[in-house]
Amino acid sequence: MENVTIGLALVAGILSFISPCVLPLVPAYIGYMGGRLTHNVSRQSAAGTPAATSWSLRAQMLLHGIAFVLGFTIVFVLIGLFTTALSSLAGQHVSTFTEMLGRVGGFVIIFFGFQFMGVMPRFFAWLRRKEQASILDNMLFSLGFAVLASALIYWGVLKQAAVALPLIAALLAALFVKGAFTQPAAFWHRLLERLESLLYSDTRGDIGGSEREGLLGSTFMGMVFSAGWTPCIGPLLGTILTVAAASGATSGDIAQGMLLLSAYSIGLGIPFVITALLMNGAQGILRRLQRHMHKIELLSGTLLIGIGLLVASGQLQSLSQTFSRGEFADFTFRVEECGVGYFEGELRLSHLGACLGGSLLPVAINQSASGHFAPATPEQQYLFHAEAGRTIDFEARALNEALPDFEFALFGPDDVELARTTGSASLEADGRLYPLVGFRPAEDGLYRAVLRNEDLAEPARFRVKVRDAEKIEAAPSPQSPAEAASTTEKDAAAADDSMNSFADIAADLEPALGLAVGNRAPAFVVETLDRASVKLADLRGRITLLNFWGTWCGPCRREMPEFQKAYEEWNARGFEILAIAYNDSEAAMADFRAEFGLSFPLALDKSGEINDAYGIQTRPSSYLVDQDGVILARHFGIMTELQLSELLMDAFARE
């Protein structure tokens, strides 16, 4: 999927709507739009105005849905841009920005919740009573407001004095200039009138007011929800982010990355817009329930307040991760994988059912895929596209237990059986099985490999790969340290003795600290599950893969077996893996390590400081760092064994 089209990005976005990390956005969105609709109907009923026409209400809901989608599209595209293509400029500050936006926006959502409940109108009316005139006319009221607002600003900007003090100073200056301390009654009456004008501008369309402020509010809500949300990286989104990261600083490549991210986000937003249109029928229901309108307002407002607290406290991301655990995460990941496979022509319509059920997976040549046998799942199928005349092998290997015997069958493009054998017939010394060796397809097309075992009492996990035998044989083998040193000496002897002094000086300079390829990776200290303290500096002299993951991350479960195999093959040559989890538990990590038989270090970033330093917004994300601590490559989404091997070949060739 290196050549990602705008149409494919749009389709992947639509399919991602049901991913587990998007689920918390759905009730939040429905809560906001439903609260807006309830508030609208309630105000119209109170004013004695007729119900809006079907097309009028549908148009209103459509505009607000589009505005909401535009809001989270803006933030999502900017986050993707800053954490990939422009990471050297702003990657490390993105999480700070999103946390600030989440805190401020969460407070605004809570305010909207009170507004939809009818609390704010009653509060404003109470303040306007003659009996309360002494409150608004008292300078102490303005002073108390200034203190409370200053405290909220300080909290909202994460207690960073360098940011908070100028904002607080600007607030105090504005209050003084507008007369909050010299003419407090006049100031507060003007402010209350302005607030009411803004709050009711889009709920009293036939009484007066403009839709502009209401649409801006929906746009802001979309921005706020996106700030408290971590997108799941599926196969295609990972490709888009990696392409954007590798684009460098060229405006054309960055623009292409933004275009693809925008298409993905718009695709993700289409179901939200459709949901807004479907809410059109709720107006009639709400009017029939007019006797209970106040209870409905209380319910919708309470829901928004709860959502606001989740966003402001940063718990919306944790909720996303909670939804991302278990089999549901695997299913939603398969939805994108199978859907994209169908639109790319790697799957037929008849294959979609088995693919979504998890018994059939699309794989590319030289790409690994996981599988398992269990009493309830005795069969696993793999679909791949092969070219006529190319020699392919089919390989199977156990993950953390002995691979049981199995029946193997290969079917051609016309679904005619081409080969059949048993798995134990070709056991290799390293535990790999080759039930199919040296097969040369007679025609281009989709081929289906079926593995089956009906006599298994205990589950068995394994990995398969359809190998291009000709490409594997022709690929250069990695050099040993001695061979690499010999090559380096030969290259040095053949080099020109005349060196440019400026080049010599430049070569000796320490690379700049940053997140772009060629930058020096940010330093950190972390404790592994085995209670060992590891510094990035301790890994100098070895090529290291820093992988940011989580036990709740469905795609992470797909790539970890790939990393283990690469670790076993490359560790002796000087390769290390450090997998850093966040917002996770050590018990879950230990179970994960045992399940997949991982032998490389796993660590928990308890404070989140390492994730912030590396601008991690989505998982899995990986950085490959050389022996001197310089970033060689970045990858977002699943990294296959082949992709990692190619990166390692290039890395060791530079020694």
Side-chain angles (χ1 to χ4, degrees):
M1 278 188 291
E2 281 78 8
N3 298 319
V4 182
T5 64
I6 294 176
L8 202 57
L10 188 73
V11 169
I14 295 174
L15 295 173
S16 296
F17 177 75
I18 67 166
S19 64
C21 60
V22 176
L23 279 180
L25 276 181
V26 177
Y29 173 75
I30 293 177
Y32 170 71
M33 296 295 286
R36 175 173 289 281
L37 178 64
T38 302
H39 193 60
N40 191 349
V41 173
S42 178
R43 298 286 77 78
Q44 287 176 347
S45 299
T49 58
T53 61
S54 178
W55 68 266
S56 175
L57 181 61
R58 185 177 287 113
Q60 285 184 30
M61 299 301 289
L62 174 63
L63 288 174
H64 282 285
I66 292 174
F68 183 93
V69 170
L70 178 63
F72 78 64
T73 297
I74 291 172
V75 174
F76 177 63
V77 172
L78 289 178
I79 288 176
L81 182 66
F82 286 136
T83 55
T84 53
L86 302 179
S87 61
S88 59
L89 298 176
Q92 295 168 280
H93 306 292
V94 169
S95 60
T96 301
F97 165 75
T98 55
E99 189 172 354
M100 286 183 181
L101 182 59
R103 288 192 174 190
V104 175
F107 179 76
V108 173
I109 294 173
I110 293 172
F111 179 84
F112 268 96
F114 282 118
Q115 169 66 14
F116 289 171
M117 291 173 69
V119 172
M120 300 312 299
R122 292 185 180 88
F123 178 66
F124 292 156
W126 179 80
L127 286 176
R128 280 206 176 92
R129 292 178 182 174
K130 292 182 179 180
E131 299 85 4
Q132 317 304 334
S134 59
I135 295 178
L136 295 181
D137 199 25
N138 194 329
M139 188 182 68
L140 291 177
F141 182 81
S142 298
L143 185 61
F145 173 82
V147 172
L148 178 61
S150 298
L152 286 174
I153 290 174
Y154 185 67
W155 171 79
V157 299
L158 311 183
K159 302 179 181 180
Q160 298 188 21
V163 180
L165 292 180
L167 293 176
I168 293 173
L171 170 67
L172 296 177
L175 290 174
F176 181 79
V177 170
K178 295 294 184 179
F181 302 112
T182 56
Q183 296 178 317
F187 169 81
W188 286 110
H189 279 294
R190 289 195 304 269
L191 182 61
L192 289 176
E193 289 176 1
R194 180 58 179 162
L195 280 174
E196 287 186 307
S197 175
L198 289 173
L199 289 172
Y200 293 120
S201 62
D202 62 321
T203 59
R204 297 164 59 186
D206 51 342
I207 300 176
S210 168
E211 273 283 306
R212 181 174 61 86
E213 292 88 352
L215 293 177
L216 288 176
S218 294
T219 302
F220 180 73
M221 288 298 104
M223 297 175 67
V224 169
F225 286 134
S226 68
W229 164 63
T230 300
C232 298
I233 292 192
L236 195 128
L237 179 56
T239 302
I240 293 173
L241 292 174
T242 302
V243 168
S247 65
T250 60
S251 59
D253 288 339
I254 291 177
Q256 178 68 7
M258 291 183 66
L259 192 61
L260 291 173
L261 285 172
S262 299
Y264 181 91
S265 187
I266 291 172
L268 179 60
I270 287 176
F272 285 101
V273 175
I274 294 174
T275 302
L277 289 175
L278 292 176
M279 295 180 74
N280 172 62
Q283 181 183 212
I285 297 174
L286 290 174
R287 285 190 172 270
R288 287 193 294 272
L289 296 174
Q290 192 167 344
R291 291 182 305 165
H292 308 285
M293 185 61 70
H294 182 59
K295 294 179 181 178
I296 296 173
E297 285 183 323
L298 289 176
L299 180 61
S300 62
T302 302
L303 176 61
L304 269 186
I305 291 172
I307 293 169
L309 290 173
L310 286 175
V311 173
S313 62
Q315 293 303 306
L316 191 62
Q317 286 191 358
S318 299
L319 192 60
S320 297
Q321 294 165 3
T322 300
F323 275 106
S324 299
R325 300 177 192 272
E327 291 298 324
F328 184 64
D330 290 338
F331 171 74
T332 53
F333 180 80
R334 289 196 300 270
V335 168
E336 181 178 341
E337 188 175 48
C338 301
V340 171
Y342 172 74
F343 282 98
E344 283 195 310
E346 295 177 354
L347 284 171
R348 296 194 186 98
L349 186 61
S350 59
H351 297 139
L352 283 179
C355 184
L356 292 173
S359 61
L360 183 147
L361 291 176
V363 294
I365 299 294
N366 295 323
Q367 174 189 350
S368 297
S370 298
H372 69 279
F373 288 136
T377 54
E379 184 178 277
Q380 188 73 59
Q381 304 180 53
Y382 299 91
L383 201 67
F384 58 93
H385 186 277
E387 298 178 2
R390 302 293 296 183
T391 304
I392 62 172
D393 300 336
F394 191 92
E395 166 195 324
R397 184 174 183 176
L399 286 178
N400 61 336
E401 63 277 302
L403 186 63
D405 292 344
F406 58 85
E407 293 182 356
F408 172 87
L410 180 70
F411 296 85
D414 53 2
D415 231 21
V416 173
E417 183 175 316
L418 302 177
R420 180 175 290 272
T421 184
T422 57
S424 60
S426 51
L427 180 64
E428 299 291 326
D430 59 0
R432 289 184 289 185
L433 305 176
Y434 288 90
L436 183 71
V437 179
F439 175 74
R440 297 178 68 87
E443 59 179 314
D444 294 352
L446 290 172
Y447 290 78
R448 182 167 56 97
V450 180
L451 282 71
R452 188 171 185 83
N453 185 303
E454 296 182 340
D455 302 322
L456 195 66
E458 298 293 333
R461 298 182 62 87
F462 57 88
R463 179 175 53 248
V464 301
K465 176 187 287 187
V466 184
R467 310 192 320 162
D468 186 331
E470 297 175 11
K471 183 175 181 180
I472 296 295
E473 292 169 1
S477 58
Q479 292 178 313
S480 66
E483 292 171 334
S486 175
T487 302
T488 302
E489 291 174 1
K490 292 177 182 178
D491 292 341
D496 190 352
D497 291 335
S498 60
M499 297 294 291
N500 185 302
S501 59
F502 291 103
D504 293 341
I505 294 173
D508 291 335
L509 292 176
E510 184 89 2
L513 182 67
L515 299 178
V517 172
N519 287 159
R520 183 163 46 90
F524 62 82
V525 180
V526 70
E527 186 178 83
T528 69
L529 282 185
D530 299 321
R531 303 302 177 205
S533 179
V534 177
K535 300 178 181 178
L536 181 62
D538 296 337
L539 303 174
R540 290 288 181 97
R542 300 178 70 80
I543 292 175
T544 303
L545 181 73
L546 301 177
N547 176 249
F548 295 88
W549 68 293
T551 59
W552 45 266
C553 166
C556 299
R557 299 178 65 86
R558 301 290 186 95
E559 73 175 359
M560 280 297 190
E562 309 283 290
F563 290 167
Q564 178 61 30
K565 184 175 181 181
Y567 184 72
E568 294 170 359
E569 295 180 358
W570 292 86
N571 179 252
R573 301 186 179 108
F575 173 57
E576 190 59 70
I577 298 177
L578 180 60
I580 303 174
Y582 173 61
N583 202 6
D584 224 315
S585 70
E586 293 184 352
M589 293 168 63
D591 291 341
F592 189 97
R593 179 171 62 179
E595 178 183 355
F596 290 98
L598 305 179
S599 57
F600 50 82
L602 305 181
L604 179 61
D605 180 15
K606 297 179 180 178
S607 66
E609 293 180 359
I610 303 175
N611 280 257
D612 290 345
Y614 281 81
I616 302 301
Q617 296 295 317
T618 50
R619 293 165 185 79
S621 294
S622 300
Y623 285 80
L624 187 66
V625 180
D626 73 3
Q627 296 91 335
D628 299 316
V630 176
I631 297 173
L632 293 176
R634 297 180 296 159
H635 189 91
F636 302 91
I638 292 178
M639 181 184 292
T640 66
E641 178 197 345
L642 179 64
Q643 290 171 323
L644 180 55
S645 295
E646 290 175 347
L647 289 175
L648 292 176
M649 285 182 183
D650 291 341
F652 281 104
R654 298 181 186 184
E655 287 188 284

